[in-house]
Amino acid sequence: MTRAIVTGGASGLGAATVARMRAENIEVFAVDIAGEADIRLDITDEEAVQETAARIGPVDILVNSAGIVGPNTALASTRSDQWRKVFDVNVIGTVTMMRAFIPGMVERGWGRIVNIASMAGKDGNPNLSIYSASKAAVIALTKSAGKELATTGVLVNAIAPAVIATPMNDDTAPEVLAHIRSLIPMKRVGTPEEVAELIAWLTSKKVSFSTGAVYDISGGRATY
């Protein structure tokens, strides 16, 4: 049986991805720091991540969905501790999970990794400099890892959603959400289920010649 681990699996895109994979009879471990998770785990705790990897054993699929938005504020008013907090989760946490599970995938000669980036990582959203920069880092990380692992059977891709109706956006300022929504030609936000369909495809055997790529799911917002 195919085995998967999904961070941020208790809500939003992660929860939708877990449900979609289980519909395909994939054994999925939903990882989160709160909520109805199969495994309670802080992905910024490297020791805990390594212990979890050793306990559950090899997985075929890793989806890095855990993330935080950070403050909605002008760049000049941000603080270094705010930058560190967001990067610890969105970037270092993703790296920590990849380091823990990639070796087993390489050893078995097959694996699928999907990192959740954002259109903010391509375009940059005003008053969300920290979040935008962290997601740009996720995109570069994905491209680098995809090239490193290109001949191993392990594919690493990212998706770049526009605004999706998830709890993560509940704390985003209304004016910021309105601005971001106005950039979407379809004039609506996406749903977690729509994103989960893309992730399901990227983690399947149907994808075999794509790695280090970024797939937009943006209602037409993407400009490059």
Side-chain angles (χ1 to χ4, degrees):
M1 175 181 285
T2 302
R3 308 175 85 228
I5 186 165
V6 179
T7 68
S11 66
L13 301 184
T17 299
V18 169
R20 178 64 179 79
M21 287 185 173
R22 285 177 176 163
E24 297 289 338
N25 294 318
I26 295 173
E27 181 184 9
V28 186
F29 297 96
V31 170
D32 216 310
I33 59 172
E36 296 183 7
D38 301 310
I39 300 172
R40 289 291 182 94
L41 177 66
D42 179 354
I43 62 170
T44 67
D45 185 338
E46 185 169 357
E47 183 176 346
V49 169
Q50 291 292 337
E51 289 175 353
T52 297
R55 185 173 71 254
I56 69 174
V59 299
D60 307 291
I61 296 168
L62 167 63
V63 178
N64 287 303
S65 183
I68 58 176
V69 175
N72 301 290
T73 189
L75 171 64
S77 66
T78 61
R79 305 188 310 269
S80 294
D81 64 300
Q82 293 171 327
W83 281 83
R84 293 188 185 97
K85 181 178 180 180
V86 174
F87 269 70
D88 276 349
V89 176
N90 295 359
V91 183
I92 305 302
T94 296
V95 170
T96 300
M97 292 295 295
M98 291 173 70
R99 283 201 307 243
F101 289 98
I102 282 175
M105 293 179 182
V106 171
E107 183 178 350
R108 294 187 309 283
W110 197 92
R112 298 290 184 269
I113 299 171
V114 174
N115 296 326
I116 310 301
S118 171
M119 286 305 299
K122 287 188 167 189
D123 292 353
N125 288 336
N127 296 316
L128 286 173
S129 59
I130 303 177
Y131 179 75
S132 299
S134 74
K135 292 303 185 178
V138 170
I139 289 172
L141 165 66
T142 299
K143 290 179 176 292
S144 178
K147 290 178 173 64
E148 286 184 16
L149 300 170
T151 61
T152 66
V154 181
L155 306 183
V156 187
N157 292 295
I159 65 169
V163 180
I164 308 297
T166 67
M168 191 173 75
N169 284 316
D170 288 347
D171 295 329
T172 303
E175 63 273 16
V176 174
L177 283 177
H179 168 75
I180 298 171
R181 189 182 296 110
S182 73
L183 300 175
I184 300 174
M186 285 187 177
K187 301 303 179 185
R188 69 171 178 87
V189 299
T191 69
E193 291 73 22
E194 288 173 315
V195 177
E197 284 295 331
L198 177 57
I199 294 172
W201 178 69
L202 285 170
T203 56
S204 72
K205 294 180 180 179
K206 296 176 182 177
V207 177
S208 58
F209 194 56
S210 181
T211 194
V214 183
Y215 290 80
D216 299 330
I217 182 161
S218 66
R221 171 178 164 179
T223 55
Y224 71 95

